[in-house]
Amino acid sequence: MTEVRRIDLLAAVAARDGVARASSLSRAGHSRHRIAQAIEAGDLVRVRRDWVAAPDADAELIAAARAGVVLSCITWARRAGL
């Protein structure tokens, strides 16, 4: 994987708060092969089927993805300090 593609992929995950569906990344132009390479290199971790995360992603977001749930507006408001 070229460095530019690697950076683009990691930026796409970062733009999704560090946790992303692999299918969303694929629709954004990142191949499954490129995602697998990033996992193998340790740039991303597989959270569960179709979910990946940056190694330093927020633990609450990783836990939600692992459980197969999404955070509600109440949780997002709490996280934003409202």
Side-chain angles (χ1 to χ4, degrees), residues 8-9 12 16 21-31 34-35:
D8 286 348
L9 173 58
R16 292 165 173 81
R21 286 184 181 264
S23 56
S24 296
L25 296 170
S26 292
R27 281 192 302 276
H30 304 285
S31 70
R34 188 177 309 148
I35 295 166

Side-chain angles (χ1 to χ4, degrees), residues 7 10 82:
I7 291 170
L10 299 180
L82 301 176

Side-chain angles (χ1 to χ4, degrees), residues 29-78:
H30 304 285
S31 70
R32 295 262 181 192
H33 178 72
R34 188 177 309 148
I35 295 166
Q37 285 179 316
I39 293 167
E40 187 175 314
D43 293 329
L44 295 176
V45 293
R46 184 167 307 285
V47 175
R48 71 177 277 155
R49 186 176 181 268
D50 197 41
W51 286 90
V52 296
D56 61 347
D58 183 290
E60 189 171 27
L61 296 178
I62 290 175
R66 222 173 239 140
V69 299
V70 294
L71 300 183
S72 70
C73 57
I74 293 169
T75 304
W76 281 108
R78 178 187 48 81

